[in-house]
Amino acid sequence: MAATSSSLSSCLLSDHGIAAGDPAKCYTAKQAVSAKSLSMSSRLRHSMEASRLSSTTTRGPARCCSAVETKISPLFTLGKKFHLDDVIEAQQFDRDTLNAIFEVAREMEEIEMNPSGSQILKGFIMATLFYEPSTRTRLSFECAMKRLGGEVLTTENAREFSSAAKGETLEDTIRTVEGYSDIIVLRHFESGATRRAAATASIPVINAGDGPGQHPTQALLDIYTIDREIGKLDGIKVALVGDLANGRTVRSLAYLLAKYKDVKIYFVSPEVVKMKDDIKDYLTSEGVEWEESADLIDVASKCDVVYQTRIQKERFGERTDLYEEARGKYIVDSDVLDVMQKHAVVMHPLPRLDEITVDVDLDPRAAYFRQAKNGLYIRMALLKLLLVGW
């Protein structure tokens, strides 16, 4: 099911957005003629009418589609269906798709600042199923839906306060919840859970983090933030620091960074949580230069982005000795800031513990709260695209 995103542009040749002649390279979790696509057709007609009406009162949707049409590609034109049925992994996205999504996100910034808001998703309901704790991801998705006029059904601890506690399977939960909603946002403790959910559902499913697997919407907002903060994505140097073995955010981010030219990635982590070989092998296969280092100060002096992550205690189980061995080894503090370049930024998917000292917050290069806000715009864009189209 996994696809190499470099082939997605060629996959957009048919009206359904998937080229039947090259299934190995196209994302095929759902074919465009599947029950999922058919079930969305009436919703799309409703949504396009809502979009037209909304554009008379808000600047965002109209300018968004115009910008995509003129700046990106005729493939991303007004009224055309988004070529992905679900958002499951970072490999689904190629550069053209990323650029187009970022144009929509910029228009979402305008909508968010417009007091009159938008009704582009009026009549749609989003269900958020979170089997693991979340603050930023869940709230930003729910805020995104409401900013666009939609409604939200939510459970913030589905592992304990849903029928999962009674033994209900994920598939049965998905089949039930899709009867109440138009799109599902799922966070789960098992890697691959979102793929299972998407294979079951006839409505779009978004991966909001699946155990130690991936977190594609976080990676999208991270790339968007880097572009906004640094002003480019080609030719940058990025340090991924902290829990690289269990961190789904850094895995997804590595996949997206591989789409850009002349990128170099530094891996800085304790020995027990080093980046796994599958990511390193993927980067090598894509011609992306990477290097492992134990010297954060040296690496920080070279990089445009220092992307810090927390050591994830919840992934260690009973091996608290390994957690204590890893925790506190690499901390971004004033010493790290002193060697960083003036244009460089510190990022973090949050929440943080003690891996970034609070005095760093006062430095303009601390981008992590701006990064979190960008998550709203990216998720507004994705909801709009999955439910309405371009």
Side-chain angles (χ1 to χ4, degrees):
M1 289 179 66
T4 52
S5 56
S6 60
S7 65
L8 276 176
S9 291
S10 64
C11 295
L12 297 176
L13 298 177
S14 73
D15 289 341
H16 298 297
I18 301 292
D22 196 6
K25 292 185 178 180
C26 298
Y27 183 74
T28 58
K30 301 284 190 303
Q31 295 298 332
V33 294
S34 67
K36 174 173 288 191
S37 297
L38 292 174
S39 72
M40 288 297 293
S41 61
S42 61
R43 294 186 180 100
L44 285 169
R45 288 194 295 272
H46 165 82
S47 302
M48 289 175 63
E49 178 63 14
S51 175
R52 183 187 66 78
L53 294 173
S54 175
S55 67
T56 64
T57 57
T58 63
R59 295 176 295 163
R63 285 191 57 200
C64 160
C65 297
S66 174
V68 169
E69 181 178 0
T70 58
K71 293 184 179 181
I72 304 300
S73 166
L75 297 171
F76 308 115
T77 54
L78 176 62
K80 191 173 181 69
K81 182 180 180 295
F82 191 44
H83 62 279
L84 301 177
D85 289 320
D86 311 288
V87 174
I88 295 177
E89 59 187 8
Q91 299 95 302
Q92 291 175 257
F93 302 94
D94 65 2
R95 284 188 64 148
D96 287 343
T97 303
L98 291 170
N99 289 340
I101 290 171
F102 294 165
E103 288 291 338
V104 178
R106 291 185 180 96
E107 296 301 326
M108 295 300 108
E109 292 190 37
E110 295 187 18
I111 288 177
E112 194 259 345
M113 292 186 292
N114 189 332
S116 60
S118 171
Q119 294 298 308
I120 195 171
L121 296 185
K122 184 177 181 179
F124 286 96
I125 297 174
M126 176 186 72
T128 55
L129 285 174
F130 279 63
Y131 290 78
E132 286 190 322
S134 173
T135 299
R136 280 149 294 275
T137 302
R138 184 173 66 87
L139 292 182
S140 64
F141 264 115
E142 294 178 5
C143 180
M145 192 66 176
K146 290 179 178 292
R147 291 286 189 190
L148 295 175
E151 302 288 338
V152 174
L153 300 176
T154 185
T155 175
E156 64 176 316
N157 192 353
R159 193 172 187 175
E160 295 183 20
F161 300 111
S162 76
S163 290
K166 304 175 184 178
E168 183 174 60
T169 66
L170 175 64
E171 286 78 5
D172 283 0
T173 299
I174 294 298
R175 289 189 183 99
T176 301
V177 172
E178 72 174 345
Y180 311 142
S181 58
D182 301 291
I183 190 168
I184 295 172
V185 179
L186 174 67
R187 168 167 290 185
H188 203 274
F189 51 88
E190 292 181 357
S191 180
T194 307
R195 188 182 301 280
R196 288 166 49 204
T200 301
S202 62
I203 62 175
V205 176
I206 298 177
N207 183 357
D210 58 343
Q214 286 210 42
H215 198 345
T217 68
Q218 178 70 46
L220 289 172
L221 75 91
D222 290 341
I223 291 289
Y224 184 67
T225 299
I226 294 171
D227 188 37
R228 300 287 269 179
E229 296 284 336
I230 305 300
K232 64 177 184 177
L233 290 164
D234 291 319
I236 62 172
K237 296 180 180 179
V238 179
L240 302 181
V241 186
D243 192 341
L244 307 186
N246 300 306
R248 55 196 173 206
T249 63
V250 289
R251 292 176 57 82
S252 293
L253 180 55
Y255 280 122
L256 290 192
L257 286 171
K259 310 303 174 192
Y260 298 91
K261 299 177 182 177
D262 302 320
V263 169
K264 181 169 183 178
I265 301 176
Y266 293 88
F267 299 128
V268 183
S269 67
E271 187 69 25
V272 295
V273 286
K274 292 176 63 175
M275 179 60 78
K276 294 179 180 177
D277 288 341
D278 65 325
I279 296 295
K280 293 185 282 190
D281 291 344
Y282 177 82
L283 294 175
T284 299
S285 71
E286 295 294 312
V288 178
E289 185 179 0
W290 59 269
E291 177 182 328
E292 292 183 312
S293 174
D295 190 340
L296 177 57
I297 293 292
D298 178 61
V299 168
S301 69
K302 303 172 183 176
C303 286
D304 303 284
V305 178
V306 175
Y307 190 99
Q308 175 70 294
T309 64
R310 71 182 175 91
I311 305 298
Q312 299 185 34
K313 185 177 182 179
E314 64 270 25
R315 308 295 180 199
F316 286 83
E318 296 180 357
R319 295 302 306 272
T320 56
D321 56 322
L322 294 180
Y323 170 71
E324 293 299 333
E325 178 184 337
R327 182 184 176 191
K329 188 172 181 61
Y330 295 106
I331 295 177
V332 174
D333 55 17
S334 59
D335 292 335
V336 174
L337 289 177
D338 286 344
V339 302
M340 287 177 59
Q341 301 174 70
K342 296 298 182 183
H343 74 277
V345 293
V346 178
M347 295 174 60
H348 193 303
L350 302 176
R352 68 167 166 190
L353 300 180
D354 54 3
E355 64 275 2
I356 299 178
T357 58
V358 293
D359 58 304
V360 173
D361 298 354
L362 301 177
D363 193 290
R365 291 169 293 180
Y368 30 89
F369 293 116
R370 298 191 296 272
Q371 175 187 356
K373 183 61 182 283
N374 287 337
L376 172 63
Y377 309 132
I378 287 293
R379 288 159 181 148
M380 287 173 72
L382 288 174
L383 292 173
K384 187 261 183 186
L385 291 171
L386 286 165
L387 291 171
V388 177
W390 296 104

